[in-house]
Amino acid sequence: MEMISSNKSFGGWHKQYRHDSAVLGCRMRFAVYLPPQAASGQQVPVLYWLSGLTCTDENFMQKAGALRVAAELGIAIVAPDTSPRGDDVADDAGYDLGQGAGFYVNASEAPWMRHYRMYDYVSQELPALVAAHFPVSGRRAIAGHSMGGHGALICALKRPQDYVSVSAFSPIANPLNAPWGQKAFSAYLGDNRAAWQEWDASVLMAAAGADAQLPARVDIGLADGFLAEQLQPEALERAAAASGYPLQLHRHDGYDHSYYFIASFIEAQLRFHAGHLFA
């Protein structure tokens, strides 16, 4: 790994790294916040944060206001990029496909399948790298926003053994029936809609057995312009009711899709995760 930057914050350290990803076949960047407790040699639990369309590792770390609370609680935060990057990595002119829009799936279609295996990267390769290089414990939680909220939910639903809790802000809850999801899934996964179902949080949650369920919190802003067409939280609510999944869905009047919303409730989400990371 190559360290790009290092900044002290609230007694801990925010650092950016580059590394060669074997899974994605390109150079990747991620950020990590190590709380002050990690400096004393204490192993700390980790929250993985997955960002939304057009974002990088920097958006959450700089805008969410999470580091003060993470320092208090003693939680490390790891924020990967949202897609593979590079001149030889497939891309699209639209903001909602290609670089910056990996959707946290494993692509099966050309030209995307060569690099776009973000699910394997965020759920397996990156956690192994973090565990090898930083003083973290084996206790993990996962969270995200919008496309990253979709990513956090499917990681928790597909690999519940790896996490103690999951949360999301404004997730794309039912990509099978959302324009963003349909565009990305058509490109990355092909035209067989049956294959899309294993990457749809509402489908996975409806089928989740009691032994595969994690504490889950979702926050939605009722003034979000993407709410009805792209996010469809009601589909997630119906799925949780069908399987008995322990989902807390919080609706907030007047809040939109922006980082102003995330910054307003990130403390509540971090304290939610702390209740399970330290249980």
Side-chain angles (χ1 to χ4, degrees), residues 51-74:
S51 289
L53 291 166
T54 76
C55 291
T56 68
D57 62 288
E58 295 183 335
N59 297 72
F60 176 79
M61 292 299 204
Q62 295 182 10
K63 294 181 178 180
L67 305 190
R68 175 187 62 81
V69 184
E72 175 196 334
L73 297 173

Side-chain angles (χ1 to χ4, degrees), residues 54-221:
T54 76
C55 291
T56 68
D57 62 288
E58 295 183 335
N59 297 72
F60 176 79
M61 292 299 204
Q62 295 182 10
K63 294 181 178 180
L67 305 190
R68 175 187 62 81
V69 184
E72 175 196 334
L73 297 173
I75 297 173
I77 301 175
V78 174
D81 203 347
T82 52
S83 77
R85 308 270 183 177
D87 292 341
D88 63 340
V89 174
D91 200 5
D92 184 85
Y95 74 94
D96 51 358
L97 186 68
Q99 295 188 36
F103 261 83
Y104 305 103
V105 302
N106 288 339
S108 59
E109 303 298 305
W112 311 102
M113 61 191 296
R114 180 181 170 198
H115 296 288
Y116 284 74
R117 301 187 63 83
M118 284 298 293
Y119 171 74
D120 282 351
Y121 176 71
V122 300
S123 67
Q124 297 176 60
E125 185 180 31
L126 183 59
L129 187 73
V130 168
H133 289 88
F134 301 104
V136 296
S137 71
R139 296 186 70 77
R140 301 180 207 157
I142 191 163
H145 171 231
S146 194
M147 176 186 73
H150 142 79
L153 289 168
I154 61 170
C155 284
L157 288 158
K158 291 168 79 68
R159 295 183 66 89
Q161 70 275 16
D162 291 347
Y163 308 99
V164 299
S165 53
V166 58
S167 70
F169 286 94
S170 314
I172 304 171
N174 189 204
L176 278 168
N177 296 309
W180 279 338
Q182 290 170 344
K183 179 177 180 178
F185 285 10
S186 294
Y188 298 146
L189 306 173
D191 295 330
N192 180 8
R193 288 179 65 93
W196 299 5
Q197 295 189 35
E198 68 172 293
W199 304 105
D200 186 295
S202 293
V203 173
L204 295 173
M205 186 172 285
D211 60 344
Q213 297 181 1
L214 300 177
R217 173 178 174 137
V218 170
D219 289 270
I220 294 288

Side-chain angles (χ1 to χ4, degrees), residues 12-13 32-48 70-78 127 130-131 133-141 164 277-278:
W13 289 91
V32 58
Y33 178 70
L34 296 171
Q37 294 84 345
S40 65
Q42 177 181 338
Q43 287 194 325
V44 295
V46 187
L47 174 72
Y48 285 84
E72 175 196 334
L73 297 173
I75 297 173
I77 301 175
V78 174
V130 168
H133 289 88
F134 301 104
V136 296
S137 71
R139 296 186 70 77
R140 301 180 207 157
V164 299
L277 287 167
F278 294 104

